[in-house]
Amino acid sequence: MKPAPFAYAKAKSLDHAIELLAHPDGEARLLAGGQSLIATLNMRLSAPKLLIDLNGVEELSGIAVNNGMVEIGALTRHVEAERSDEIAEHAPLIALAMPHIGHAAIRNRGTLGGSIAFADPAAELPACLVALGGEVEIAGPRGRRTVKADDFFMGLFETALDPGDVLTAIRIPAATPGTRVGFAEFARRHGDYAMVGLAASAQLDGQELGDVRLAYFGVGNTPVRATKSETALVEGKIDDAVAALNLDPSDDVQATGAVKKHLAGVLLRRVAAQLMETSR
Ligand SMILES: Cc1cc2nc3c(=O)[nH]c(=O)nc-3n(C[C@H](O)[C@H](O)[C@H](O)COP(=O)(O)OP(=O)(O)OC[C@H]3O[C@@H](n4cnc5c(N)ncnc54)[C@H](O)[C@@H]3O)c2cc1C
């Protein structure tokens, strides 16, 4: 199928993008890597009147480490993050997740901001952002604001972004020597969206885990924190952590909810072992 007719405008700057978004003749959508948006247009799942191309807006790209935070511009391509020394050193959970996102061709074009804004419940990056206690930078007609990842993902493909907003960057705490991260997912084939996945972070103090954050994906409408299991892991009780999994995944085309819940427990054991690795 072909998309419904739409007008096209290339944003020259962030302010220009916000201006274009503010006065659309009908619905307007931002175009980043196009890896999700173009498919929805071609399938006529959405039919905006105007596409605003962000590609080329330099201020939205790049990776910087400042004051203990890693900031990743919205237009940063998956492949740039995958190959970045800064991400490998300061954001190791993102580095672990990156190769699981689609295939190389998709990672060449897809952007981190697009993934976070699209908020697919089976996507890796939204869960990583939640697991890391990160935040989202947003610019809109009323200025700039910061939203915590825990508050950003509000429902199925629904976020704290308003129609006139541009997601400009994500920010996560830079890893310290005590930071431990874990990542695992089940997908039918490598590169497919996950049936179930788990992103996790913690702080290791001696042999003790603290500040454990477990964010599942593919098991609900948004990334899902397994808070009771986090507490059990801090107490070193892995069996209790699995038993305490407060997940209620629905059946879908890939698996029943019961299978997903079982897989979530398997992933938790794998990720807990990664978190406990002391020699890093
Ligand atoms: C075959 C295939 C397999 C894939 N597998 C996976 C996978 O396993 N895991 C995974 O996570 N993803 C997967 N993806 C999706 C891929 O990661 C996309 O890159 C991502 O979902 C969207 O990023 P994008 O830059 O392409 O955004 P686009 O497609 O350009 O935009 C997506 C949506 O986000 C909005 N948007 C984009 N940028 C901004 C911004 N800065 N501010 C506000 N709104 C914005 C757009 O308006 C649009 O609504 C797959 C895609 C394909 C085609």
Side-chain angles (χ1 to χ4, degrees):
M1 277 173 74
K2 291 192 171 139
F6 56 83
Y8 170 90
K10 192 155 177 66
K12 298 188 189 97
S13 64
L14 173 59
D15 286 346
H16 187 214
I18 294 168
E19 200 182 302
L20 289 165
L21 273 174
H23 305 289
D25 179 16
E27 191 195 347
R29 296 293 281 278
L30 296 169
L31 172 67
Q35 298 302 297
S36 299
L37 179 60
I38 299 299
T40 64
L41 298 187
N42 286 345
M43 289 187 275
R44 301 213 174 189
L45 295 172
S46 72
K49 291 279 180 285
L50 171 65
L51 284 197
I52 302 166
D53 191 349
L54 291 175
N55 290 274
V57 178
E58 290 293 326
E59 62 205 275
L60 294 178
S61 285
I63 299 163
V65 186
N66 286 317
N67 301 324
M69 300 296 280
V70 183
E71 183 165 310
I72 309 173
L75 212 56
T76 306
R77 312 271 172 205
H78 297 321
V79 66
E80 293 172 64
E82 188 177 2
R83 294 183 185 165
S84 158
D85 292 338
E86 277 112 334
I87 294 291
E89 182 178 352
H90 300 290
L93 180 58
I94 303 283
L96 280 180
M98 231 11 111
H100 295 271
I101 300 177
H103 310 281
I106 290 150
R107 298 197 294 275
N108 282 341
R109 288 301 298 167
T111 66
L112 273 80
S115 279
I116 300 294
F118 192 56
D120 191 304
E124 289 81 2
L125 287 174
C128 290
L129 194 62
V130 169
L132 291 166
E135 51 196 33
V136 180
E137 290 293 309
I138 298 170
R142 286 173 283 117
R144 290 176 180 256
R145 65 190 194 279
T146 304
V147 177
K148 288 194 178 308
D150 281 330
D151 302 324
F152 181 78
F153 301 102
M154 297 170 67
L156 190 61
F157 296 104
E158 191 191 339
T159 69
L161 288 168
D162 290 329
D165 286 339
V166 180
L167 191 162
T168 57
I170 58 170
R171 263 210 308 264
I172 50 180
T176 64
T179 301
R180 292 294 177 270
V181 296
F183 183 91
E185 72 173 49
F186 281 106
R188 286 196 181 272
R189 297 169 304 184
H190 185 87
D192 281 3
Y193 276 105
M195 291 163 69
V196 185
L198 174 58
S201 74
Q203 291 295 322
L204 194 65
D205 183 9
Q207 295 296 312
E208 310 288 317
L209 280 184
D211 198 15
V212 175
R213 292 176 68 96
L214 302 171
Y216 277 92
F217 50 104
V219 299
N221 289 343
T222 62
V224 180
R225 289 271 304 274
T227 45
K228 288 184 183 158
S229 304
E230 291 171 358
T231 308
L233 274 194
V234 169
E235 292 163 359
K237 298 173 180 166
I238 291 184
D239 288 339
D240 288 2
V242 173
L245 273 175
N246 53 332
L247 306 175
D248 187 17
S250 307
D251 301 351
D252 64 23
V253 287
Q254 304 222 57
T256 63
V259 166
K260 284 179 170 238
K261 187 150 184 192
H262 170 75
L263 293 177
V266 175
L267 292 183
L268 182 50
R269 291 182 191 280
R270 290 184 188 172
V271 165
Q274 293 174 27
L275 293 177
M276 287 305 296
E277 281 175 23
T278 48
S279 55
R280 290 216 180 156

Short mmCIF file of all heavy atoms in Angstrom, two decimals, residues 29-38 54 60 74 78 100-103 106 109-115 117-118 122-126 161 165-168 185 191-194, ligand 1:
data_model
loop_
_atom_site.label_atom_id
_atom_site.label_comp_id
_atom_site.label_asym_id
_atom_site.label_seq_id
_atom_site.Cartn_x
_atom_site.Cartn_y
_atom_site.Cartn_z
N ARG A 29 3.18 15.29 11.84
CA ARG A 29 4.01 14.30 12.55
C ARG A 29 5.48 14.59 12.26
O ARG A 29 5.84 14.99 11.14
CB ARG A 29 3.70 12.88 12.07
CG ARG A 29 2.30 12.43 12.38
CD ARG A 29 2.06 12.27 13.88
NE ARG A 29 2.60 11.03 14.39
CZ ARG A 29 1.95 9.87 14.29
NH1 ARG A 29 0.77 9.81 13.71
NH2 ARG A 29 2.48 8.77 14.78
N LEU A 30 6.30 14.35 13.28
CA LEU A 30 7.74 14.49 13.10
C LEU A 30 8.29 13.23 12.44
O LEU A 30 7.88 12.12 12.79
CB LEU A 30 8.41 14.69 14.46
CG LEU A 30 8.04 15.98 15.19
CD1 LEU A 30 8.55 15.94 16.63
CD2 LEU A 30 8.59 17.20 14.46
N LEU A 31 9.23 13.42 11.54
CA LEU A 31 9.90 12.29 10.89
C LEU A 31 11.35 12.27 11.39
O LEU A 31 12.09 13.24 11.22
CB LEU A 31 9.88 12.48 9.37
CG LEU A 31 10.71 11.49 8.55
CD1 LEU A 31 10.12 10.09 8.64
CD2 LEU A 31 10.78 11.93 7.09
N ALA A 32 11.72 11.16 12.02
CA ALA A 32 13.13 11.00 12.45
C ALA A 32 13.76 9.95 11.54
O ALA A 32 14.01 10.21 10.37
CB ALA A 32 13.17 10.63 13.92
N GLY A 33 13.97 8.73 12.03
CA GLY A 33 14.55 7.69 11.18
C GLY A 33 13.55 7.08 10.21
O GLY A 33 13.92 6.43 9.24
N GLY A 34 12.27 7.26 10.50
CA GLY A 34 11.21 6.77 9.62
C GLY A 34 10.97 5.27 9.70
O GLY A 34 10.12 4.73 8.99
N GLN A 35 11.68 4.57 10.58
CA GLN A 35 11.61 3.10 10.58
C GLN A 35 10.30 2.56 11.14
O GLN A 35 9.90 1.45 10.83
CB GLN A 35 12.79 2.52 11.38
CG GLN A 35 14.14 2.85 10.78
CD GLN A 35 14.27 2.35 9.35
OE1 GLN A 35 14.23 1.15 9.11
NE2 GLN A 35 14.40 3.26 8.41
N SER A 36 9.62 3.36 11.94
CA SER A 36 8.29 2.98 12.41
C SER A 36 7.22 3.82 11.72
O SER A 36 6.19 3.31 11.28
CB SER A 36 8.19 3.17 13.93
OG SER A 36 9.13 2.35 14.57
N LEU A 37 7.50 5.12 11.58
CA LEU A 37 6.49 6.03 11.03
C LEU A 37 6.12 5.67 9.59
O LEU A 37 4.93 5.61 9.24
CB LEU A 37 7.01 7.47 11.10
CG LEU A 37 6.07 8.55 10.54
CD1 LEU A 37 4.75 8.56 11.31
CD2 LEU A 37 6.72 9.92 10.59
N ILE A 38 7.11 5.41 8.76
CA ILE A 38 6.80 5.16 7.34
C ILE A 38 5.96 3.89 7.19
O ILE A 38 5.03 3.84 6.37
CB ILE A 38 8.11 5.08 6.50
CG1 ILE A 38 8.87 6.41 6.59
CG2 ILE A 38 7.81 4.73 5.05
CD1 ILE A 38 8.13 7.62 6.06
N LEU A 54 13.00 16.01 10.78
CA LEU A 54 13.99 16.50 11.75
C LEU A 54 15.42 16.25 11.28
O LEU A 54 16.37 16.81 11.86
CB LEU A 54 13.80 15.80 13.10
CG LEU A 54 12.54 16.13 13.90
CD1 LEU A 54 12.48 15.25 15.14
CD2 LEU A 54 12.54 17.60 14.30
N LEU A 60 20.04 18.28 17.66
CA LEU A 60 19.35 17.13 18.25
C LEU A 60 20.21 15.87 18.24
O LEU A 60 19.77 14.80 18.68
CB LEU A 60 18.04 16.85 17.48
CG LEU A 60 16.96 17.92 17.60
CD1 LEU A 60 15.75 17.56 16.76
CD2 LEU A 60 16.55 18.13 19.06
N ALA A 74 18.17 13.32 20.62
CA ALA A 74 17.06 12.51 20.09
C ALA A 74 17.36 11.93 18.72
O ALA A 74 16.95 10.83 18.39
CB ALA A 74 15.79 13.37 20.01
N HIS A 78 20.68 4.70 16.17
CA HIS A 78 21.01 3.51 16.97
C HIS A 78 22.46 3.09 16.72
O HIS A 78 23.19 2.74 17.64
CB HIS A 78 20.09 2.35 16.60
CG HIS A 78 18.63 2.61 16.88
ND1 HIS A 78 18.18 3.27 18.00
CD2 HIS A 78 17.52 2.27 16.18
CE1 HIS A 78 16.86 3.33 17.97
NE2 HIS A 78 16.44 2.74 16.87
N HIS A 100 20.17 -5.79 19.96
CA HIS A 100 18.88 -6.49 19.90
C HIS A 100 17.81 -5.69 19.14
O HIS A 100 16.71 -6.20 18.90
CB HIS A 100 18.37 -6.78 21.32
CG HIS A 100 19.24 -7.74 22.07
ND1 HIS A 100 19.08 -9.10 22.02
CD2 HIS A 100 20.31 -7.51 22.86
CE1 HIS A 100 20.00 -9.67 22.77
NE2 HIS A 100 20.76 -8.73 23.29
N ILE A 101 18.10 -4.45 18.81
CA ILE A 101 17.09 -3.60 18.16
C ILE A 101 17.11 -3.86 16.65
O ILE A 101 18.04 -3.44 15.95
CB ILE A 101 17.35 -2.12 18.44
CG1 ILE A 101 17.29 -1.86 19.95
CG2 ILE A 101 16.33 -1.25 17.70
CD1 ILE A 101 17.59 -0.45 20.35
N GLY A 102 16.11 -4.55 16.19
CA GLY A 102 15.97 -4.79 14.75
C GLY A 102 17.23 -5.37 14.14
O GLY A 102 17.92 -6.19 14.75
N HIS A 103 17.53 -4.92 12.93
CA HIS A 103 18.69 -5.39 12.18
C HIS A 103 19.56 -4.18 11.85
O HIS A 103 19.15 -3.04 12.04
CB HIS A 103 18.23 -6.08 10.90
CG HIS A 103 17.17 -7.10 11.17
ND1 HIS A 103 17.46 -8.35 11.68
CD2 HIS A 103 15.83 -7.03 11.07
CE1 HIS A 103 16.33 -9.01 11.85
NE2 HIS A 103 15.33 -8.24 11.49
N ILE A 106 18.08 -1.25 10.01
CA ILE A 106 17.15 -0.45 10.82
C ILE A 106 17.94 0.44 11.78
O ILE A 106 17.62 1.62 11.96
CB ILE A 106 16.19 -1.38 11.56
CG1 ILE A 106 15.25 -2.02 10.55
CG2 ILE A 106 15.40 -0.65 12.63
CD1 ILE A 106 14.77 -3.36 10.92
N ARG A 109 19.34 3.82 10.44
CA ARG A 109 18.45 4.97 10.26
C ARG A 109 17.70 5.33 11.54
O ARG A 109 17.46 6.50 11.82
CB ARG A 109 17.41 4.69 9.17
CG ARG A 109 17.92 4.68 7.77
CD ARG A 109 18.58 5.97 7.33
NE ARG A 109 17.69 7.14 7.34
CZ ARG A 109 18.12 8.40 7.23
NH1 ARG A 109 19.39 8.66 7.10
NH2 ARG A 109 17.26 9.41 7.24
N GLY A 110 17.26 4.32 12.27
CA GLY A 110 16.42 4.55 13.46
C GLY A 110 17.15 5.39 14.50
O GLY A 110 18.37 5.32 14.60
N THR A 111 16.40 6.18 15.23
CA THR A 111 16.99 7.09 16.23
C THR A 111 16.53 6.73 17.64
O THR A 111 15.46 6.14 17.83
CB THR A 111 16.57 8.54 15.95
OG1 THR A 111 15.15 8.66 16.15
CG2 THR A 111 16.91 8.96 14.52
N LEU A 112 17.35 7.14 18.60
CA LEU A 112 16.96 6.87 19.99
C LEU A 112 15.71 7.65 20.36
O LEU A 112 14.81 7.13 21.03
CB LEU A 112 18.11 7.19 20.96
CG LEU A 112 19.09 6.02 21.16
CD1 LEU A 112 20.06 5.91 20.02
CD2 LEU A 112 19.80 6.11 22.49
N GLY A 113 15.64 8.90 19.90
CA GLY A 113 14.46 9.71 20.21
C GLY A 113 13.20 9.12 19.60
O GLY A 113 12.14 9.12 20.22
N GLY A 114 13.33 8.60 18.37
CA GLY A 114 12.17 7.98 17.71
C GLY A 114 11.68 6.78 18.49
O GLY A 114 10.47 6.58 18.66
N SER A 115 12.60 5.96 18.97
CA SER A 115 12.20 4.77 19.74
C SER A 115 11.48 5.15 21.03
O SER A 115 10.48 4.53 21.40
CB SER A 115 13.43 3.93 20.12
OG SER A 115 13.82 3.13 19.06
N ALA A 117 9.99 8.08 21.71
CA ALA A 117 8.72 8.77 21.42
C ALA A 117 7.65 7.79 20.93
O ALA A 117 6.48 7.93 21.27
CB ALA A 117 8.95 9.86 20.36
N PHE A 118 8.07 6.80 20.15
CA PHE A 118 7.10 5.84 19.60
C PHE A 118 6.55 4.95 20.72
O PHE A 118 5.39 4.58 20.73
CB PHE A 118 7.79 5.00 18.52
CG PHE A 118 6.85 4.18 17.69
CD1 PHE A 118 5.80 4.77 17.01
CD2 PHE A 118 7.02 2.81 17.57
CE1 PHE A 118 4.93 4.01 16.23
CE2 PHE A 118 6.16 2.04 16.79
CZ PHE A 118 5.11 2.65 16.13
N ALA A 122 7.08 -3.36 23.33
CA ALA A 122 8.05 -4.46 23.22
C ALA A 122 9.44 -3.95 22.86
O ALA A 122 10.33 -4.76 22.57
CB ALA A 122 7.57 -5.46 22.17
N ALA A 123 9.64 -2.64 22.87
CA ALA A 123 10.94 -2.08 22.47
C ALA A 123 11.92 -2.08 23.64
O ALA A 123 11.52 -1.98 24.81
CB ALA A 123 10.75 -0.66 21.94
N GLU A 124 13.19 -2.17 23.30
CA GLU A 124 14.24 -2.29 24.31
C GLU A 124 14.53 -0.96 25.02
O GLU A 124 14.69 -0.92 26.25
CB GLU A 124 15.55 -2.76 23.65
CG GLU A 124 15.56 -4.21 23.19
CD GLU A 124 14.88 -4.44 21.84
OE1 GLU A 124 14.42 -3.46 21.21
OE2 GLU A 124 14.80 -5.61 21.41
N LEU A 125 14.63 0.13 24.24
CA LEU A 125 15.14 1.38 24.85
C LEU A 125 14.23 1.99 25.91
O LEU A 125 14.73 2.49 26.92
CB LEU A 125 15.46 2.40 23.75
CG LEU A 125 16.72 2.06 22.95
CD1 LEU A 125 16.89 3.03 21.79
CD2 LEU A 125 17.96 2.09 23.84
N PRO A 126 12.89 2.00 25.71
CA PRO A 126 12.07 2.53 26.80
C PRO A 126 12.32 1.80 28.13
O PRO A 126 12.43 2.45 29.19
CB PRO A 126 10.64 2.31 26.28
CG PRO A 126 10.79 2.38 24.79
CD PRO A 126 12.10 1.70 24.51
N LEU A 161 4.46 13.24 25.85
CA LEU A 161 4.62 14.24 24.79
C LEU A 161 3.25 14.78 24.38
O LEU A 161 2.33 14.00 24.13
CB LEU A 161 5.28 13.61 23.56
CG LEU A 161 6.77 13.27 23.64
CD1 LEU A 161 7.17 12.39 22.45
CD2 LEU A 161 7.62 14.53 23.69
N ASP A 165 5.00 18.97 20.84
CA ASP A 165 6.31 18.78 21.48
C ASP A 165 7.31 18.06 20.59
O ASP A 165 6.94 17.19 19.79
CB ASP A 165 6.15 17.93 22.75
CG ASP A 165 5.53 18.70 23.90
OD1 ASP A 165 5.57 19.94 23.87
OD2 ASP A 165 5.01 18.04 24.81
N VAL A 166 8.58 18.37 20.83
CA VAL A 166 9.69 17.61 20.24
C VAL A 166 10.49 17.01 21.40
O VAL A 166 10.84 17.72 22.35
CB VAL A 166 10.62 18.52 19.42
CG1 VAL A 166 11.77 17.70 18.82
CG2 VAL A 166 9.85 19.24 18.31
N LEU A 167 10.74 15.72 21.33
CA LEU A 167 11.65 15.09 22.29
C LEU A 167 13.06 15.46 21.84
O LEU A 167 13.43 15.20 20.69
CB LEU A 167 11.43 13.57 22.25
CG LEU A 167 12.08 12.70 23.32
CD1 LEU A 167 11.40 11.34 23.36
CD2 LEU A 167 13.57 12.53 23.13
N THR A 168 13.81 16.13 22.70
CA THR A 168 15.12 16.63 22.25
C THR A 168 16.28 15.73 22.68
O THR A 168 17.30 15.68 22.00
CB THR A 168 15.38 18.05 22.79
OG1 THR A 168 15.30 18.03 24.21
CG2 THR A 168 14.36 19.03 22.21
N GLU A 185 16.63 -10.93 26.61
CA GLU A 185 15.30 -10.98 25.99
C GLU A 185 15.11 -12.28 25.23
O GLU A 185 16.08 -12.93 24.82
CB GLU A 185 15.07 -9.78 25.05
CG GLU A 185 15.84 -9.82 23.75
CD GLU A 185 15.42 -8.68 22.78
OE1 GLU A 185 15.35 -7.52 23.20
OE2 GLU A 185 15.17 -9.00 21.60
N GLY A 191 16.72 -9.91 16.43
CA GLY A 191 16.32 -8.71 15.69
C GLY A 191 14.82 -8.50 15.68
O GLY A 191 14.37 -7.41 15.38
N ASP A 192 14.05 -9.54 15.99
CA ASP A 192 12.60 -9.35 16.11
C ASP A 192 12.30 -8.59 17.41
O ASP A 192 13.10 -8.63 18.35
CB ASP A 192 11.87 -10.70 16.18
CG ASP A 192 11.73 -11.34 14.81
OD1 ASP A 192 12.22 -10.77 13.84
OD2 ASP A 192 11.11 -12.42 14.75
N TYR A 193 11.15 -7.96 17.44
CA TYR A 193 10.70 -7.41 18.72
C TYR A 193 10.63 -8.56 19.73
O TYR A 193 10.28 -9.70 19.37
CB TYR A 193 9.33 -6.77 18.59
CG TYR A 193 9.37 -5.34 18.11
CD1 TYR A 193 9.00 -5.02 16.81
CD2 TYR A 193 9.76 -4.31 18.96
CE1 TYR A 193 9.03 -3.70 16.36
CE2 TYR A 193 9.79 -2.99 18.52
CZ TYR A 193 9.42 -2.69 17.23
OH TYR A 193 9.45 -1.39 16.79
N ALA A 194 10.92 -8.25 20.99
CA ALA A 194 10.97 -9.30 22.01
C ALA A 194 9.58 -9.83 22.36
O ALA A 194 8.61 -9.08 22.37
CB ALA A 194 11.63 -8.74 23.27
C1 LIG B 1 11.59 -4.63 10.64
C2 LIG B 1 11.74 -3.74 11.85
C3 LIG B 1 12.14 -4.32 13.05
C4 LIG B 1 12.28 -3.53 14.19
N1 LIG B 1 12.67 -4.13 15.34
C5 LIG B 1 12.77 -3.38 16.45
C6 LIG B 1 13.16 -3.97 17.69
O1 LIG B 1 13.44 -5.17 17.78
N2 LIG B 1 13.23 -3.17 18.78
C7 LIG B 1 12.93 -1.82 18.72
O2 LIG B 1 12.98 -1.14 19.73
N3 LIG B 1 12.58 -1.23 17.57
C8 LIG B 1 12.50 -1.97 16.44
N4 LIG B 1 12.14 -1.37 15.28
C9 LIG B 1 11.82 0.09 15.28
C10 LIG B 1 13.08 0.94 15.20
O3 LIG B 1 13.82 0.83 16.38
C11 LIG B 1 12.72 2.41 14.99
O4 LIG B 1 13.89 3.05 14.67
C12 LIG B 1 12.10 3.16 16.14
O5 LIG B 1 10.98 2.55 16.67
C13 LIG B 1 11.60 4.53 15.72
O6 LIG B 1 12.68 5.35 15.50
P1 LIG B 1 12.73 6.25 14.22
O7 LIG B 1 13.84 7.21 14.42
O8 LIG B 1 12.77 5.41 13.00
O9 LIG B 1 11.35 7.08 14.32
P2 LIG B 1 10.24 7.41 13.24
O10 LIG B 1 9.75 6.17 12.61
O11 LIG B 1 10.70 8.50 12.36
O12 LIG B 1 9.12 8.01 14.23
C14 LIG B 1 8.40 7.17 15.10
C15 LIG B 1 7.39 8.02 15.88
O13 LIG B 1 8.07 8.86 16.81
C16 LIG B 1 7.82 10.24 16.54
N5 LIG B 1 9.08 10.93 16.75
C17 LIG B 1 10.26 10.63 16.19
N6 LIG B 1 11.23 11.44 16.67
C18 LIG B 1 10.62 12.27 17.54
C19 LIG B 1 11.08 13.34 18.38
N7 LIG B 1 12.37 13.71 18.43
N8 LIG B 1 10.18 13.98 19.17
C20 LIG B 1 8.89 13.61 19.17
N9 LIG B 1 8.39 12.61 18.40
C21 LIG B 1 9.24 11.95 17.60
C22 LIG B 1 7.34 10.28 15.10
O14 LIG B 1 6.51 11.40 14.85
C23 LIG B 1 6.58 8.97 14.99
O15 LIG B 1 5.29 9.11 15.55
C24 LIG B 1 12.02 -2.12 14.12
C25 LIG B 1 11.62 -1.54 12.91
C26 LIG B 1 11.49 -2.34 11.78
C27 LIG B 1 11.09 -1.69 10.48
#
